[in-house]
């Protein structure tokens, strides 16, 4: 290996959970307390270049063109440390990453970000891992990122009940992108960074919510039913269960004082119900931010766009299709510098 810098560039897409991951197993290892099921989206992406080099005294991070320190660099460094512990590459790395959608606003930038980083870093370090092992690596940084390695409809099981930091837990594909003819309308209600990150939001929910136990009880049942509905391609049932999972997650968080909804969020949720009364099968899901993702069958997308786009609090609409998993787009050896 010697003195030559080695680099790789990977692209990954966000995923939106239909059945939500909210809450971790106690103990080490970042294991989810509940199973989750997501859809990987096309049309939004994170692109990450990782380059190991002798010339660096410390890991570096450039996020959307800006050299970044503090917590984001610390989390990137922890993933790079794991990569360095797995193989012969021991040098520091420079990570250059950018999103073509707002960062840290509940649009799942940590999912696509850590998926692209895990794939780019393991490729740059010339590790020969399966996609499942890369998913496990991404999961240790951000559990939702484990799902973005795969395309289509993806499941991440709950972690082991007995804490074991070394246990492997990866996401797995359930159905390909072509399984269901679906569009997701992302109703962007704010361009600011979100208030409470999901890691802190779930910790606070676990510590303070009187309904956290009820969430842990309900989530696996909602997940199992959603999985069945998905495999049966029952769109209405998928939508109802996805909305139920999101509302149960937010109910548990709200009871701990963790509020992601804003006025515009509620306006979109009301319009989604109004669409259903008018016969348009639209269903909503909300993550750890104020935006609403609306699921709609492809033939109904124009009707849904018109109604949602007319809401004053909706700054813009992003129309996403079901997309593919993460991929390596470039790899350079000896002559990179
Ligand atoms: C609401 O994966 O961001 O989007 O593992 O602590 O990094 P960490 O949490 P993260 O949580 C995502 C929460 C969610 C629901 C989901 O994606 O399943």
């Amino acid at each position: 290996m010697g003195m030559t810098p080695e680099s790789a560039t990977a692209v990954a897409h966000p995923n939106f959970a239909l059945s939500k991951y909210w809450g971790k197993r106690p103990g080490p290892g970042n294991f989810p307390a509940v199973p989750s099921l997501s859809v990987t989206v096309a049309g939004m992406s994170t692109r990450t270049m990782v380059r190991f080099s002798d010339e660096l005294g410390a890991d570096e991070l450039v996020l959307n063109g800006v050299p970044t320190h503090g917590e984001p660099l610390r989390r990137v460094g922890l993933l790079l440390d794991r990569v360095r512990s797995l193989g012969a590459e021991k040098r520091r790395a420079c990570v250059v990453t950018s999103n073509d959608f707002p960062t840290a606003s509940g649009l799942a930038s940590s999912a696509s970000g850590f998926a692209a980083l895990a794939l780019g870093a393991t490729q740059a370090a010339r590790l020969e891992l399966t996609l499942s092992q890369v998913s496990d690596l991404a999961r240790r940084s951000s559990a939702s990122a484990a799902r973005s390695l795969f395309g289509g409809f993806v499941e991440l099981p709950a972690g082991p009940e007995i804490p074991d930091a070394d246990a492997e837990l990866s996401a797995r594909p359930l159905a390909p992108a072509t399984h269901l003819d679906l569009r997701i309308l992302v109703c962007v209600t704010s361009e600011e960074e979100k208030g409470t990150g999901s890691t802190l939001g779930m910790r606070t929910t676990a510590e303070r919510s009187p309904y956290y136990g009820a969430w842990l009880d309900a989530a696996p049942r909602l997940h199992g039913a959603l999985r069945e509905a998905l495999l049966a391609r029952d769109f209405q049932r998928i939508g109802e269960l996805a909305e139920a999972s999101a509302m149960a997650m937010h109910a548990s968080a709200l009871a701990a004082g963790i509020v992601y909804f804003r006025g515009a969020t509620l306006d979109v949720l009301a319009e989604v119900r109004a669409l259903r009364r008018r016969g348009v099968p639209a269903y909503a899901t909300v993550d750890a931010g104020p935006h609403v993702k609306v699921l709609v069958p492809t033939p109904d997308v124009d009707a849904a766009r018109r109604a949602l786009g007319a809401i004053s609090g909706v700054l813009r609409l992003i129309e996403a299709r079901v997309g593919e998993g993460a991929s390596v787009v470039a790899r350079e050896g000896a002559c990179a510098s």
Side-chain angles (χ1 to χ4, degrees), residues 247-317:
M247 293 304 146
M249 172 203 131
H250 283 279
S252 72
L254 278 163
I258 299 295
V259 184
Y260 293 111
F261 292 0
R262 296 191 185 194
T265 314
L266 296 172
D267 291 342
V268 176
L269 293 176
E271 186 54 42
V272 167
R273 291 190 296 270
L275 276 164
R276 288 205 290 269
R277 287 195 295 274
R278 301 202 297 272
V280 179
Y283 296 90
T285 187
V286 185
D287 294 299
H291 316 298
V292 185
K293 291 110 187 185
V294 179
L295 312 168
V296 63
T298 302
D300 294 298
V301 74
D302 290 333
R305 276 193 87 109
R306 273 193 301 277
L308 299 167
I311 301 169
S312 65
V314 174
L315 306 181
R316 59 201 175 93
L317 281 175

Side-chain angles (χ1 to χ4, degrees), residues 17 20-22 24 30 36 75 110 141-144 147 198-199 202 249 287-288:
K20 300 294 185 196
Y21 150 51
W22 194 250
K24 298 173 195 280
N30 202 37
S36 57
R75 286 181 78 178
S110 83
S141 294
S142 187
S144 59
R147 301 183 308 234
S198 29
T199 309
M202 43 183 108
M249 172 203 131
D287 294 299

Side-chain angles (χ1 to χ4, degrees), residues 20-44:
K20 300 294 185 196
Y21 150 51
W22 194 250
K24 298 173 195 280
R25 293 285 193 214
N30 202 37
F31 290 101
V34 296
S36 57
L37 195 163
S38 62
V39 48
T40 303
V41 302
M44 297 164 74

